[in-house]
Amino acid sequence: MVEQVAVGSSNRAGLAWGGVREASPRLKARITGVFYLLTMLGGIFAQGFVSQRLVVDGDAAATATNILTHKSLFQWGFTVYLIEMACQIVITALLYDLLKPAGRSVSLVAAFLGLAGCVIKTFSRLFYIAPLFVLGGAHYLSVFNVEQLQALALLFLKVNDQGAGIALAFFGFYALLTGYLIFRSTFLPRILGVLSVFGGLGWLTFLYPPLGHRLFPYLAAFGLLGAASLILWLLVFGVNEQRWKEQARCG
């Protein structure tokens, strides 16, 4: 019985994904836009509203107090981070399929780089949630004093930031290749590809983390501009189906 349920669930999931694959290019583009929007809103909430609000740079005691005072909000930040990455994985798969006509091999390489970034960023979130265990008051932590536990919690949050920075470097390569494919395509505006390329170059500054973190506010603003432009186009216009099909046949 259990095996039948599992097989049935697997078949339904396969049919659902098959339905997405068989959808028109314009519909797939709009679905991509929806998930892209969810990813962007999730990142803004988790990073801008939760982390920036609760984490006080260089002050372990204040950060620990904020986390314990707003424990539910901190946990929600973790949940939204995971939803953000799940949506990012969906975007990576959909964009691979959508941009294949502009270059199958390049689209595949871009997808692998994007997925690598997703894996790294998701793993780094273990360090984001770790302060809740460190500050939880468990008996086995009594060997540490309060100041040590607070410092350890802030250290974990710093490691989380560094992990996210490494992921951004991979997303930089991903954005470069995606921008190239958009520019090379005949079914999306080239300006969207240009914005993606420049955004990717910005994220590549995280190959040297001190530079990336120093420039992050400016990089994030430009990245949001490029992402918002692509999201708006995908949601409103999708892609030019006729040109997509023509380029797919030529490829």
Side-chain angles (χ1 to χ4, degrees):
M1 182 66 180
V2 174
E3 290 181 357
Q4 290 175 339
V5 172
V7 170
S9 299
S10 176
N11 289 338
R12 286 193 295 271
L15 288 172
W17 177 246
V20 172
R21 292 190 62 187
E22 294 301 321
S24 70
R26 182 170 296 168
L27 177 58
K28 283 191 284 190
R30 285 177 171 155
I31 293 172
T32 304
V34 170
F35 278 98
Y36 209 151
L37 179 61
L38 291 174
T39 301
M40 186 173 72
L41 292 178
I44 291 173
F45 173 81
Q47 183 66 35
F49 184 72
V50 178
S51 291
Q52 293 295 328
R53 178 182 174 185
L54 300 183
V55 180
V56 182
D57 190 37
D59 193 333
T63 298
T65 300
N66 289 341
I67 291 173
L68 293 176
T69 303
H70 305 282
K71 185 177 179 180
S72 294
L73 180 62
F74 190 78
Q75 290 173 321
W76 269 111
F78 177 73
T79 300
V80 173
Y81 270 137
L82 296 186
I83 293 172
E84 175 199 6
M85 282 300 96
C87 291
Q88 183 69 48
I89 291 170
V90 174
I91 293 169
T92 304
L94 289 174
L95 276 180
Y96 161 70
D97 196 43
L98 199 64
L99 295 175
K100 273 194 303 185
R104 182 181 297 269
S105 297
V106 176
S107 186
L108 182 62
V109 172
F112 276 115
L113 288 168
L115 289 174
C118 291
V119 170
I120 294 168
K121 199 168 186 180
T122 302
F123 179 75
S124 74
R125 298 314 180 194
L126 289 173
F127 294 95
Y128 172 87
I129 200 66
L132 284 182
F133 300 101
V134 172
L135 301 171
H139 176 71
Y140 56 81
L141 293 172
S142 60
V143 294
F144 300 101
N145 61 41
V146 173
E147 289 78 12
Q148 288 172 328
L149 291 173
Q150 291 173 343
L152 189 59
L154 186 58
L155 174 62
F156 282 137
L157 291 171
K158 292 288 187 182
V159 175
N160 165 68
D161 287 341
Q162 290 298 318
I166 294 171
L168 284 176
F170 279 86
F171 288 140
F173 289 116
Y174 173 68
L176 275 177
L177 295 181
T178 300
Y180 164 77
L181 290 169
I182 293 174
F183 187 85
R184 192 171 182 269
S185 75
T186 58
F187 46 83
L188 286 169
R190 288 186 168 183
I191 184 61
L192 297 177
V194 173
L195 290 173
S196 181
V197 167
F198 277 107
L201 290 173
W203 297 131
L204 286 180
T205 58
F206 278 90
L207 290 171
Y208 181 65
L211 178 61
H213 286 288
R214 190 176 302 119
L215 298 177
F216 181 77
Y218 310 101
L219 300 176
F222 189 83
L224 285 175
L225 173 64
S229 301
L230 182 56
I231 290 168
L232 184 62
W233 186 273
L234 292 174
L235 288 175
V236 176
F237 302 105
V239 297
N240 187 313
E241 285 197 43
Q242 182 179 349
R243 292 182 178 178
W244 188 92
K245 291 175 181 177
E246 288 174 354
Q247 195 166 17
R249 283 195 296 267
C250 292

